[in-house]
Amino acid sequence: MKHIVLSLCLAIPLPVTAQEEGDIDEGFSLMEEGAKLLFRGLMSEMEPAIDDFAGMAQELEPALELLATEMGPALMELMRQLDSVRYYEVPEILPNGDIIIRRSPDAPEFIPPDNAPIDL
């Protein structure tokens, strides 16, 4: 947006040498008015999208709260046991619903945290 306003300002020639101070002030005032009209137009175009986004956020809020309260602790435990997500391949979902997360073959050796139970 700054680029558009800057381009408009640079594209409008302002012959300063032949104008009086009042004419210059009037020119800047007109440019300011034009910029205000431009921004008002952009805001009126964006208003429906912003309203839709706000409505969608209100609809999703209960689901996100439920996700945070029920899945949050389990995800935190998983992240505590994994050293870094980048060392793992894409999860694979088996036909029975099990999810397998394999460690990448080129990942460094895994050193589990001291207090994490490990099933081998």
Side-chain angles (χ1 to χ4, degrees):
M1 183 54 71
K2 293 179 184 176
H3 300 292
I4 294 172
V5 174
L6 181 62
S7 299
L8 288 174
C9 291
L10 293 176
I12 300 172
L14 293 175
V16 179
T17 56
Q19 293 182 346
E20 296 178 16
E21 189 174 313
D23 292 341
I24 293 173
D25 290 340
E26 183 181 338
F28 282 123
S29 176
L30 290 174
M31 287 176 50
E32 181 181 353
E33 241 354 89
K36 285 180 183 178
L37 289 172
L38 175 70
F39 287 122
R40 282 189 199 129
L42 288 174
M43 286 303 296
S44 66
E45 291 285 328
M46 292 297 296
E47 192 172 359
I50 293 170
D51 291 343
D52 289 346
F53 181 73
M56 184 176 60
Q58 287 177 347
E59 290 176 17
L60 289 176
E61 185 177 2
L64 292 174
E65 285 178 9
L66 185 65
L67 178 69
T69 57
E70 292 189 10
M71 290 297 296
L75 288 173
M76 291 304 293
E77 178 64 23
L78 177 65
M79 294 308 295
R80 188 178 62 77
Q81 291 184 8
L82 299 177
D83 53 345
S84 177
V85 176
R86 68 176 176 239
Y87 297 138
Y88 294 87
E89 294 179 355
V90 176
E92 178 183 343
I93 301 174
L94 300 179
N96 66 356
D98 289 351
I99 300 173
I100 298 177
I101 304 174
R102 292 189 172 90
R103 192 164 174 86
S104 298
D106 58 341
E109 182 181 347
F110 176 69
I111 301 172
D114 293 335
N115 57 354
I118 301 295
D119 288 339
L120 298 176

